[in-house]
Amino acid sequence: MAGLHKSDFANPVINWIDTRLPIFTMMQKEYGTFPTPKNFNYFWNFGALAVVALMVMIVTGIFLAMNYTPNVTMAFDSVERIMRDVNYGWLIRYVHMNGASMFFIVVYIHIFRGLYYGSYKTPRELLWMIGVVLLLLMMATAFMGYVLPWGQMSYWGATVITNLFSAIPVVGPGIVTWLWGGFSVDNPTLNRFFSLHYLLPFVIVGVLFLHVAALHITGSNNPLGIDVKSPQDTLPFHPYYTIKDSVGVCVFLLVWAVLVCFVPNYLGHVDNYTPANPMATPADVVPEWYFLPFYAILRSVPNKLGGVSMMFGSILVMFVLPWFDTSPVRSCRFRPIYRQLMWVLVADALLLGAVGAHPPQGIWVVIGRVCTAYYFLHFLVILPFLGKLERPLPLPESISRPVIAGGGGGLPGGAPAKPMEKP
Amino acid sequence: MRPAILLPAFVLPAFVLIGAALLAVPARAQESETPPLVHQHWSFDGVFGTFDNAAAQRGLQVYQQVCSACHSMKQMYYRNLAGIGLNEDQIKAFAAAILVPGPADESGQPTQRPALPSDHFKSPFPNDEAARAANGGALPPDQSVLEKAREGGPDYIYALLNGYSDPPAGMKMQQGMNYNRYFPGNQIAMPQPLHGNDVTYVDGTPSSLEQEAHDVTTFLAFAANPELNERHATGVKAVLFLVFLTGITYALKRKIWADVH
């Protein structure tokens, strides 16, 4: 129904705009008074941190693109020129380079938060699936960005990863040639990766908008995993969560600054400071740390197509997770067995990361296979059965009347703790 | 009432510990035939580290008189030497002593001219093929970012320069290769570049092998990280600011949340 919006803002200019385009009312509703569960812990900072990381990456990336040359004969030198001759170029480039790691750290913790507290369960399935799309977009963007400096790892990483598509029967080799724009990773590949590396972050912004829009329909999950029952359970987003997120942002920037200023190359690979050389393969081709678990899964399967399928499957399984977890209880706090298995899964992922960092020899092959098998076992077998076998702890009546004071266990179901509300 | 299935309490910590232990293992195990690197004291180590200009200038002398016979440093300009404390006149004089290709003369013949501060460091060979031809087929790597391109960084370069000796009895060396205990595979094409007393330092420092290796490594670290002094200073300021900002933000958070139960 068309019609002017009836704005409540007193300021005449804001009121004039808001009447015609109610963005101020929208911001007030979605970020000002938005009712948010009052029991968030600091794990709920990480979504905001990921948004901060994305914004910093886009801003630094735009300035890098002003000075970067996507040509195989000039790319490496143009990055070094940014480091040496562009005003604060070293800062912009190191912030961007380490920003990829910081982005993945916060997103992985954000995903862990979702898994641990059951944020993927109804009614947030679609919100979760959009998040998995965001993860895939991020991975594609990070991979193509890593190719741009055109060092040895850039070149050989691009060669190994694009070659994965050759495992697809019949059309595989054709797809690889099409991706490369030629018969090997070369100038056309670098050009299109640069173009896509610039494009995808804005696609991420668009999908992120859907992620947040879906979140604001369902409302946030919370550490207890129970639904908001009354206004007593919530706080307005501002100032309570704007300030709490700000604390997290400060710590996040502190860690980032330490990486950039004191150990800017700690998370990188030394071989990427050697210009790309198609005639010389590095001793071992290793992806960036954030891809190591997936790389381990890829190499754990003796069959190429199998390995590629398992690697992509390890992320695709996240899409069906909301239906494989049969337990109606969201939060791990009330699922004694799942809580422990959640940490086993974390250890499994860390182990896979270690496997990915080592040449596939000896004990690493065995560990890799066991961990890969367990990863899929967790999602596809354990979760569906556990939901039926496990006896969850009694859930609290509401967020503001927790059944368990101080997080202990074993009280009979439904027994209200001492009333804690102020009169 | 079904009995709850609980894993033994030690399962979780055990898994996490195993994971942590495996992650702590260096990701890229060195070839077993190279001994572990010994960490040297570097002026540019640590959060307050800055380049020792005197050492870097001596290192420049070693680079100019020894390394630059084979190794290029394509990313460096002579003007960059201001970063290790050379003043404008010193840089001009240093560059002017080196002849670089100039514009063609009236008859179209190539000419040479003294280098300017705005010139790149002159490469010893016109191209990689010429470099290989002059070095028995091996390409001396460009040294601009060499310090960042090797596992171990300055410690590795220092160890390599000090790592030459006769091969152990029974080791079969390939034609034209030299034994170096720190080089992966122990066979390196580069003959021992420094022996001690290869240069006469302008500042009178005795030029032992260790001194030369230390100085030239400092210079290579500068060449690879010309921004390091500024980066460390920025880092200290940024960390102090962010710690302060975190503190007051947290205090404000406590104040805002004080009435929430």
Side-chain angles (χ1 to χ4, degrees), chain B residues 78 81 86-98 114-117:
Chain B
Y78 294 111
L81 296 176
L86 266 63
N87 64 34
E88 213 179 316
D89 291 334
Q90 288 171 311
I91 294 172
K92 277 183 184 162
F94 184 88
I98 295 155
L116 296 167

Side-chain angles (χ1 to χ4, degrees), chain A residues 98-131:
Chain A
N98 287 287
S101 290
M102 294 303 293
F103 202 171
F104 272 100
I105 291 170
V106 296
V107 163
Y108 283 158
I109 296 175
H110 187 61
I111 294 170
F112 167 79
R113 196 286 317 273
L115 290 172
Y116 191 88
Y117 294 109
S119 301
Y120 50 86
K121 291 187 188 183
T122 188
R124 298 185 183 83
E125 305 95 323
L126 189 58
L127 170 61
W128 170 262
M129 290 163 78
I130 294 170

Side-chain angles (χ1 to χ4, degrees), chain A residues 410-421:
Chain A
L411 283 178
K418 269 186 191 167
M420 293 174 76
E421 289 79 24

Side-chain angles (χ1 to χ4, degrees), chain A residues 294-310:
Chain A
F294 304 101
Y295 194 53
I297 292 175
L298 170 74
R299 294 197 301 189
S300 291
V301 184
N303 172 289
K304 189 173 177 183
L305 181 58
V308 173
S309 310
M310 295 282 263

Side-chain angles (χ1 to χ4, degrees), chain A residues 35-331:
Chain A
T36 312
K38 67 186 204 176
N39 59 333
F40 281 1
N41 55 32
Y42 275 98
F43 274 118
W44 264 262
N45 269 358
F46 285 84
L49 298 185
V51 175
V52 170
L54 176 64
M55 291 191 304
V56 174
M57 293 302 275
I58 287 179
V59 170
T60 52
I62 286 170
F63 283 94
L64 287 175
M66 292 177 191
N67 296 287
Y68 169 77
T69 312
N71 181 291
V72 290
T73 59
M74 293 181 263
F76 187 90
D77 288 347
S78 76
V79 172
E80 275 307 311
R81 204 185 74 81
I82 290 169
M83 295 292 292
R84 289 154 189 270
D85 286 338
V86 172
N87 290 333
Y88 289 101
W90 61 267
L91 182 63
I92 299 169
R93 195 255 173 156
Y94 275 155
V95 166
H96 196 77
M97 187 175 120
N98 287 287
S101 290
M102 294 303 293
F103 202 171
F104 272 100
I105 291 170
V106 296
V107 163
Y108 283 158
I109 296 175
H110 187 61
I111 294 170
F112 167 79
R113 196 286 317 273
L115 290 172
Y116 191 88
Y117 294 109
S119 301
Y120 50 86
K121 291 187 188 183
T122 188
R124 298 185 183 83
E125 305 95 323
L126 189 58
L127 170 61
W128 170 262
M129 290 163 78
I130 294 170
V132 181
V133 172
L134 281 171
L135 175 65
L136 287 169
L137 285 169
M138 249 182 90
M139 291 176 138
T141 310
F143 161 67
M144 288 192 265
Y146 191 63
V147 176
L148 302 185
W150 209 242
Q152 273 288 68
M153 275 303 157
S154 299
Y155 180 87
W156 291 100
T159 302
V160 169
I161 300 303
T162 49
N163 256 317
L164 295 181
F165 292 92
S166 71
I168 302 170
V170 187
V171 292
I175 289 177
V176 175
T177 307
W178 177 72
L179 285 175
W180 285 340
F183 297 101
S184 68
V185 174
D186 208 334
N187 205 50
T189 325
L190 180 60
N191 274 240
R192 60 189 56 190
F193 278 18
F194 177 55
S195 172
L196 293 173
H197 183 70
Y198 206 116
L199 168 70
L200 286 186
F202 298 98
V203 177
I204 291 177
V205 170
V207 179
L208 174 64
F209 182 81
L210 298 180
H211 192 63
V212 174
L215 171 72
H216 281 229
I217 295 296
T218 62
S220 295
N221 187 27
N222 65 81
L224 294 173
I226 57 174
D227 290 328
V228 167
K229 300 262 167 57
S230 70
Q232 265 194 333
D233 293 346
T234 66
L235 293 168
F237 190 81
H238 181 74
Y240 293 99
Y241 286 110
T242 41
I243 189 64
K244 193 162 180 174
D245 282 347
S246 299
V247 175
V249 168
C250 288
V251 175
F252 175 60
L253 294 180
L254 185 60
V255 175
W256 200 340
V258 167
L259 268 180
V260 165
C261 292
F262 302 123
V263 281
N265 296 303
Y266 178 72
L267 295 170
H269 196 290
V270 288
D271 279 353
N272 229 27
Y273 281 107
T274 302
N277 180 359
M279 311 303 283
T281 319
D284 47 344
V285 181
V286 191
E288 291 284 84
W289 69 266
Y290 40 80
F291 290 141
L292 287 175
F294 304 101
Y295 194 53
I297 292 175
L298 170 74
R299 294 197 301 189
S300 291
V301 184
N303 172 289
K304 189 173 177 183
L305 181 58
V308 173
S309 310
M310 295 282 263
M311 185 179 73
F312 284 110
S314 66
I315 297 172
L316 297 182
V317 72
M318 295 284 182
F319 279 112
V320 293
L321 170 64
W323 295 275
F324 270 76
D325 185 349
T326 50
S327 169
V329 176
R330 294 196 189 105
S331 174

Side-chain angles (χ1 to χ4, degrees), chain A residues 37-40 42 76-77 80-81 83-85 88 90-91 93-94 153 235 239-241 243-244 246-247 250-251 253-255 257-258 260-265 269-271 273-275 277 283-284 286 336-337 339-341 343-344 346-348 350-351 353-354 357-359 364 367 388-391 400 420-422, chain B residues 1-9 11-12 15-16 18-20 22-23 25-29 31 46-48 74-77 79-80 132 144-152 222-228 230-236 238-240 242-243 245-246 248-250 252-254 256-261:
Chain A
K38 67 186 204 176
N39 59 333
F40 281 1
Y42 275 98
F76 187 90
D77 288 347
E80 275 307 311
R81 204 185 74 81
M83 295 292 292
R84 289 154 189 270
D85 286 338
Y88 289 101
W90 61 267
L91 182 63
R93 195 255 173 156
Y94 275 155
M153 275 303 157
L235 293 168
Y240 293 99
Y241 286 110
I243 189 64
K244 193 162 180 174
S246 299
V247 175
C250 288
V251 175
L253 294 180
L254 185 60
V255 175
V258 167
V260 165
C261 292
F262 302 123
V263 281
N265 296 303
H269 196 290
V270 288
D271 279 353
Y273 281 107
T274 302
N277 180 359
D284 47 344
V286 191
I337 303 171
R339 185 172 63 213
Q340 300 189 47
L341 293 177
W343 287 108
V344 174
V346 169
D348 188 69
L350 292 175
L351 263 174
H358 289 81
W364 292 108
I367 298 175
K388 308 215 182 294
L389 294 174
E390 188 180 40
R391 182 171 168 273
S400 49
M420 293 174 76
E421 289 79 24
K422 269 189 173 176
Chain B
M1 178 166 142
R2 276 172 296 182
I5 310 163
L6 275 173
L7 294 176
V11 166
L12 158 64
F15 263 96
V16 174
I18 293 169
L22 288 167
L23 285 175
V25 176
R28 283 156 46 84
E31 279 79 358
V47 297
F48 298 108
K74 290 175 182 165
Q75 310 291 349
M76 286 282 283
Y77 294 90
R79 60 177 162 81
N80 294 144
R132 283 186 193 279
S144 311
V145 288
L146 194 70
E147 190 261 358
K148 290 198 284 194
R150 295 292 180 274
E151 204 78 58
F222 162 74
N225 308 280
E227 83 296 344
L228 180 139
E230 191 189 1
R231 173 156 56 78
H232 284 181
T234 306
V236 171
V239 165
L240 287 176
L242 286 168
V243 166
L245 191 65
T246 305
I248 57 168
T249 310
Y250 185 66
L252 184 58
K253 188 255 166 195
R254 292 279 302 243
I256 289 173
W257 279 75
D259 61 347
V260 178
H261 293 281

Side-chain angles (χ1 to χ4, degrees), chain B residues 135-139 164-168 171-181 183-192:
Chain B
N135 288 284
L139 178 66
Y164 283 89
S165 64
D166 290 329
M171 180 162 173
K172 203 162 162 59
M173 300 294 290
Q174 288 169 21
Q175 178 77 33
M177 299 299 263
N178 306 278
Y179 180 80
N180 189 309
R181 63 182 179 280
F183 191 73
N186 295 139
Q187 303 203 33
I188 183 168
M190 174 170 72
Q192 182 168 0

